[in-house]
């Protein structure tokens, strides 16, 4: 049977899209090359913090806010359908300053948030340790955002795929899409080795690898992998997600502590390195000294899909029908997954996304000779 839609890439973006489109009643085929090759979603901290990027344009915050708003109902829906708890918790996010420069930066952030009418409670050195007693005595101040939440990305991935299957989607792993099949100005399907699979629409959601479609689409798609390493610790605290300049720690619903993350432009190299892990642990222990005695539970790394302006590429491709992009979500793909899926659903259903999407136009980096 010819699917209505092929989704290429089974990370959080492709899986959210496959779920949303199959819920719309479309016959969806989700193709993924397979795990263990640098997929960003499995290594992600799953933090849902719309104001995490300091200097982002407001269109990004609007997109991120809307996505966060979609999370609670989506989690309830997925939990009910699949029985999987994807670890959605509104644990709040505490940013702390360890030195004078940090404190000045935190104060600027606080002022910016207030000017946007956003809540955020300023805590002095004493108050911050009342909120998080495990923090180092070096911590001078904190800014608490109670609305920020988090999920467990591996569980979220499982839930999205299971729910998509319930709506009839076929999820195929071990399937590397080698190229797109074009008929004139239309993409008509994909090629996997010698096999061609046709579909009415193809959605390209293959994260850091999305630059591969540049020549077939005649577009500059400057997606670059940015490696992030993380360490999982077994530890009782902290209660909130705690962010410092060099490291953050997020207590996950199933009882472990996520410590992340490096940001390394090292190409398609998904390894976890001695230097990466040692830097994360050193910074985490400086922030929360009690972690010195925690058990190391896991280490990991993923390749974030980075773009030159740090914004995702979501939408149709000019001059070429039957194909859309949903890639380049860099540091916020888990946060942005629900809204990305809604926008792709809007584009396929009515042609009109619910939010202004010009800043995320896949064609903004220019065209390329085919
Ligand atoms: C350490 C770390 C921490 C992070 N923390 C957060 C956070 O707290 N909050 C947040 O919102 N975001 C976070 N991110 C970013 C987030 O993880 C990414 O933005 C998001 O996972 C991107 O999802 P994706 O589906 O586009 O890409 P991926 O998860 O990388 O999925 C892409 C998939 O496409 C497959 N693929 C590639 N090429 C092909 C092909 N030709 N054919 C078939 N399949 C193919 C790959 O195998 C992969 O499975 C973090 C990332 C890292 C690395």
């Amino acid at each position: 049977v010819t699917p209505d839609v092929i989704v290429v890439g089974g990370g959080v973006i492709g899986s959210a899209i496959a779920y949303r489109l199959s819920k719309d009643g479309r016959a969806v085929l989700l193709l993924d090359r397979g795990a263990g090759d640098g997929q960003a979603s499995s290594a992600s901290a799953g933090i849902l913090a719309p104001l995490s990027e300091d200097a982002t344009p407001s269109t990004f915050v609007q997109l991120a806010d809307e996505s966060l708003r979609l999370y609670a109902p989506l989690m309830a829906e997925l939990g009910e359908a699949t029985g999987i708890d994807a670890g959605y918790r509104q644990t709040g996010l505490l940013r702390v300053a360890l030195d004078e420069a940090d404190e000045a930066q935190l104060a600027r952030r606080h002022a910016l948030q207030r000017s946007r009418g956003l809540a955020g409670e300023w805590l002095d050195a004493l108050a911050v340790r009342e909120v998080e007693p495990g923090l180092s005595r070096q911590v001078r101040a904190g800014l608490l955002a109670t609305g920020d939440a988090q999920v467990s990305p591996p569980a979220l991935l499982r839930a999205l795929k299971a729910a998509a299957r319930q709506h009839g989607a076929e999820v195929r792993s071990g399937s590397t899409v080698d190229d797109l099949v074009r008929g004139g100005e239309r993409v008509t399907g994909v090629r996997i080795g010698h096999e061609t699979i046709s579909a009415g629409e193809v959605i390209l959601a293959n994260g850091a690898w999305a630059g591969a479609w540049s020549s077939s689409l005649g577009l500059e798609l400057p997606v670059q992998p940015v490696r992030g390493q993380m360490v999982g610790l077994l530890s009782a605290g902290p209660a909130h997600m705690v962010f410092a300049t060099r490291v953050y720690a997020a207590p996950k619903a199933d009882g472990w502590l996520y410590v992340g993350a490096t940001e390394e432009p090292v190409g398609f190299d998904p390894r976890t390195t001695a230097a990466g892990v040692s830097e994360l642990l050193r910074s985490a222990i400086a922030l929360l000294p009690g972690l010195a005695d925690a058990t190391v539970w896991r280490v990991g790394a993923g390749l974030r899909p980075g773009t030159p302006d740090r914004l995702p590429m979501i939408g149709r491709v000019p001059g070429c029908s039957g194909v859309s992009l949903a890639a380049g979500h860099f540091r916020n793909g888990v946060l942005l997954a629900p809204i990305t899926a809604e926008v792709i659903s809007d584009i396929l259903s009515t042609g009109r996304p619910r939010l202004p999407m010009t800043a995320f136009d896949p064609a903004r980096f220019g065209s390329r000779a085919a």
Side-chain angles (χ1 to χ4, degrees), residues 8-14 31-34 37-48 175-178 205-209 213 226-230 248 258 261-262 301-305 326-336:
V8 180
V12 71
I13 299 297
L31 299 171
D32 192 78
R33 181 163 73 182
D37 55 3
Q39 184 189 72
S41 302
S42 313
S44 171
I47 293 165
L48 313 174
S175 300
T176 304
V177 172
D178 295 308
N206 59 326
W209 296 268
W213 318 119
V226 181
R227 183 168 71 192
Q229 302 188 46
M230 56 75 65
Y248 58 79
Y258 183 109
T262 64
L303 300 174
R304 300 180 189 88
H329 291 72
F330 194 35
R331 288 158 47 102
N332 290 289
V334 179
L335 169 60
L336 295 175

Side-chain angles (χ1 to χ4, degrees), residues 270-329:
R271 290 175 309 126
T272 309
T273 65
V277 170
S278 91
E279 168 65 20
L280 287 172
L281 289 177
R282 209 165 47 79
S283 305
I285 292 166
L287 179 65
L288 294 152
L291 294 182
D293 192 42
T295 304
V296 174
W297 176 55
R298 65 173 280 219
V299 296
L303 300 174
R304 300 180 189 88
T307 59
D309 57 10
R310 304 166 75 95
L311 298 176
M313 302 185 295
I314 307 169
R316 285 220 179 266
V317 172
C320 189
S321 57
V323 66
S324 304
L325 265 145
H329 291 72

